[in-house]
Structures are given as C-alpha cells and as structure tokens.
Amino acid sequence: MAKGIVALQKLREQAATLKKYHPDWSFNKIGKKIGCRHSFVSRWVRRDQACEPLHDQSRSGRPPKADAAAQEHIVMAAQLPECRTAADVAAKLQQDQHLSFSVTTVKRVLRQHGLQHLSPVARPMLTDSHKLARVKFAKAVLRRDKTSKRRWLNTDSKIFHLHKMGRPLRRWCSPGARGTVPRPKHSIAAHVYMGICYWGVTKLMFVTGTHKQVSKFVNPKSKRLYAGVGSSEYSEVLSQMFVPEGNRLFQQAGQWADKWQLQQDNAKPHKTATNMAYIAENVPGGHFLTWPACSPDMSPIENMWAWMEGKLHKEYQPKNVEELKDSLEQIRQSIPASMLHNMFDGFQARMQRVVDLDGEYINM
C-alpha cells in the first residue's frame, strides 16, 4: 500500500476516534485538531456511525490498453530488426496494424513478457570458410566416442582486471540524480594460463600482460622485449605447467594417463613448429583436432572464465595485483567437480548445435 493511502487511512480513524471520545466537539474543531477540512471529518464520522468501513474498497482498475492479441503484436514487432526502440515498435504497429499505443505502454508490455532492452554482444565476423571449418570440426568430434572428451585437456589464457572495465549498468533515476561511477584510466590486470579437464583443473601460471610483469624474451625482428606472450614464453608454459599438470591430473584419475590430448587455440605463439613438436613428443595423445578460428563459443573453458570472473567481482575485493592473484587461486581451488563434468559431458550437444546452425555462433 502506498504511503499516502496509509496516512489518509490514519486521518479517517483519528477523526472517528475523536468524535467517539468527544461527542460534543464540532466537525470543524476536530478538523483543526488533525489538520483536515470539516467536510472530510463529517464524511468519515458519519460513515463510522453508520458502521460502514473506513478503508477504501478494492477496485478493479481501468482495463488494460493492450489486450492479449495486441500484446502479441507488440512482442512480435519488437523482435523485428528495424525496431530498435519502443518508439520504433509503436510506429511500426501504427503503420502496419493501425494500433495506437504510447511508448510507455509498449515498454510495459515488453517488460511483462520478460524482454529487456540490451545491446547485442560483439563477436568476430564469421566468413563462409569459418563456418565450414566449424562444421567440419564439430562433425569430426561427433564421430568420436562420447567418452573421448574425458581425455582432453582444454587450455586457454584470460586477462582478469582488478576493476570492472565494462559499461556501467543502467538504472532508473531522475535527471538530476544520475550519479557517477569511478573508473580507473588504466586497470591493473593479471594475464593467466589455465587448463581444465573432466578430472580437474591445472594450476595457474601468470605471464606477460600481468601488472608489472615484463617479458624476458626479445623479439628477434624488432630487437625489443615482447609486449605480450611470445613463442618462447609459451614454450615455458607448456614445459612448466601444461604438460606436468596434465600428467598429474590424468594419473591421479587413473584414466587416460597414456592417451590424454592437449587442446589449444590458434594463437601464433601456440602453433609454432617448435611448440607443436614439443607437444607431439611430450603429450601422450598429442595435439587435439585443429581448433577452428573465431570459435571461442565452442570451447567449454570460456564458460569457466565467465564463472570465475563473475565470482571474482561478486565475492572478492582485491586491492592490488597480489591480492588479485590470491583471489584467482582461491577461486580456482573452489571449482566444483560437477561443473567440470557437466561441461565435458555436454560437449557433444554443443557440437551438435554448431552443425544444426550451419556453423553460426551458438549460445551455450
């Protein structure tokens, strides 16, 4: 109940109560006591004397401006490519259906049906060759045994920022109370490599791109230190982390210790001849199928990165890069085994969706 209605209810009760205890008081005197007009007091005192309720009766309200059929038209129009705003939807309905609704009504109907006004997610553009490669990869995976994914170590890197760098969330407010959100000019970040498999998670390895961590390798062409991870540094990631950790995880599981495979994306430092030869010699099952370009949506580790980032900003408040590293390590240790099982057991369905969509992006 609104505050104004509650206050009005109290005034009615005060007027009736004063008249009961002071029957000789006039309506005008009671009105002065509670700050109301004598007509207000007269009305509600007489209702109380007649044993009628002092509260407002429930009302059905005005009928909705948009019936079920009109609401369906609004929802359908909102999903058209040319209708980007509620005003576009209202204009489209007026032009095609001769239905006149205000922008406010359109927004209310769309919200009631669970729609939100969001910006589309930017993704790399897929060419026809990209789509063919994605479908070819998915079909090759589907031809394999379903349990073969359990001998696959999925690896990747991610940059975690100390502060959220995305666009602030929208909220309703008055024009003069919009407020501000503090945002650093350059956010402190940690660049980390990690691998996941059905049986567990590798340790974290922080590399160039982490705050105040400079590469120790020189680019032979520019004669300068690498600004990011180069082939030589990735060789260290393979030899010091991925291969030893992969052997440990599969040996502890007692499964596929002599057949596990390494999966990596197609970044140039990853697929140099030296690194590919090292994988062939030191990984029992060698390299997994060549990963198609522009396909992060097909990799289960991307879901893991999103989960870790959400947990980082929701449950941790690191103040410097060391606390950021410690927070990421704590999150890594808290990854539930059930999540890993669901990710790898659902990989078949993920690949089938790629085939069904002819190589288009999937939402998994």
Side-chain angles (χ1 to χ4, degrees):
M1 185 181 291
K3 293 182 179 180
I5 298 177
V6 174
L8 190 62
Q9 180 71 23
K10 290 183 178 180
L11 288 176
R12 296 171 185 172
E13 294 173 355
Q14 288 177 4
T17 302
L18 286 174
K19 188 62 177 177
K20 287 180 181 178
Y21 286 99
H22 304 282
D24 56 323
W25 284 12
S26 65
F27 296 145
N28 191 35
K29 184 175 182 180
I30 295 174
K32 289 182 179 180
K33 285 285 185 181
I34 63 176
C36 296
R37 294 171 61 89
H38 73 280
S39 58
F40 175 88
V41 177
S42 171
R43 176 184 179 186
W44 294 105
V45 166
R46 288 195 172 103
R47 288 196 62 169
D48 182 65
Q49 292 173 347
C51 298
E52 295 181 2
L54 299 180
H55 58 79
D56 291 326
Q57 296 181 355
S58 59
R59 304 175 184 178
S60 60
R62 65 166 179 79
K65 293 183 178 180
D67 56 17
Q71 291 184 20
E72 185 177 351
H73 286 302
I74 292 175
V75 173
M76 291 176 63
Q79 298 175 8
L80 297 175
E82 61 268 25
C83 294
R84 297 179 178 272
T85 65
D88 295 339
V89 174
K92 184 70 174 177
L93 292 172
Q94 178 68 36
Q95 177 183 351
D96 295 349
Q97 306 291 336
H98 302 291
L99 298 174
S100 180
F101 295 110
S102 67
V103 174
T104 302
T105 299
V106 171
K107 288 181 178 179
R108 181 171 58 249
V109 170
L110 294 177
R111 287 170 182 161
Q112 289 174 350
H113 283 75
L115 274 69
Q116 297 179 333
H117 192 229
L118 303 175
S119 301
V121 178
R123 285 174 171 166
M125 184 179 296
L126 291 177
T127 63
D128 291 339
S129 59
H130 287 149
K131 296 176 185 178
L132 289 174
R134 285 164 60 89
V135 172
K136 182 179 179 181
F137 176 88
K139 288 182 177 179
V141 171
L142 291 173
R143 285 194 296 267
R144 296 190 174 195
D145 181 55
K146 292 183 179 180
T147 60
S148 64
K149 315 309 171 298
R150 298 186 180 183
R151 62 187 180 99
W152 170 34
L153 181 66
N154 186 204
T155 66
D156 196 13
S157 69
K158 168 76 175 176
I159 297 178
F160 290 93
H161 293 276
L162 188 66
H163 307 94
K164 276 190 174 182
M165 298 299 289
R167 185 176 181 179
L169 297 177
R170 297 181 180 182
R171 65 181 182 90
W172 295 105
C173 60
S174 59
R178 183 176 180 180
T180 59
V181 176
R183 182 174 181 177
K185 186 174 182 181
H186 302 289
S187 177
I188 295 174
H191 187 192
V192 60
Y193 272 92
M194 187 182 76
I196 63 173
C197 67
Y198 185 89
W199 312 103
V201 185
T202 70
K203 67 180 183 181
L204 304 177
M205 186 166 181
F206 296 93
V207 295
T208 302
T210 300
H211 184 64
K212 292 186 177 180
Q213 183 169 334
V214 182
S215 176
K216 58 183 179 181
F217 298 100
V218 177
N219 188 326
K221 293 183 179 179
S222 63
K223 307 301 180 182
R224 297 179 181 178
L225 294 175
Y226 280 102
V229 176
S231 174
S232 300
E233 186 170 7
Y234 185 68
S235 296
E236 289 190 348
V237 175
L238 286 172
S239 60
Q240 297 178 16
M241 197 264 282
F242 282 152
V243 172
E245 285 291 288
N247 288 327
R248 176 184 66 83
L249 289 171
F250 288 97
Q251 287 173 5
Q252 286 181 354
Q255 299 280 343
W256 314 108
D258 58 342
K259 294 182 179 180
W260 69 271
Q261 293 179 305
L262 181 76
Q263 181 275 321
Q264 58 184 6
D265 60 26
N266 288 325
K268 288 184 178 181
H270 298 176
K271 59 180 184 179
T272 59
T274 302
N275 289 335
M276 295 302 290
Y278 180 86
I279 293 172
E281 293 176 5
N282 295 276
V283 177
H287 185 254
F288 192 64
L289 295 171
T290 301
W291 198 262
C294 302
S295 301
D297 58 315
M298 295 169 60
S299 177
I301 199 172
E302 295 296 335
N303 298 78
M304 182 62 72
W305 291 136
W307 179 83
M308 292 178 65
E309 188 169 33
K311 195 174 181 67
L312 172 67
H313 293 296
K314 184 178 180 180
E315 300 181 12
Y316 297 84
Q317 290 80 37
K319 297 180 176 59
N320 53 55
V321 69
E322 294 303 323
E323 291 185 8
L324 177 59
K325 291 180 179 180
D326 292 340
S327 299
L328 291 173
E329 177 59 28
Q330 293 178 34
I331 295 172
R332 183 195 71 85
Q333 295 177 7
S334 69
I335 295 174
S338 59
M339 180 184 295
L340 296 170
H341 296 169
N342 291 337
M343 285 182 176
F344 285 90
D345 286 342
F347 192 68
Q348 292 284 121
R350 190 185 293 256
M351 295 299 98
Q352 185 61 54
R353 182 155 178 78
V354 173
V355 175
D356 295 341
L357 295 178
D358 295 326
E360 293 287 353
Y361 279 117
I362 58 175
N363 295 316
M364 298 292 286

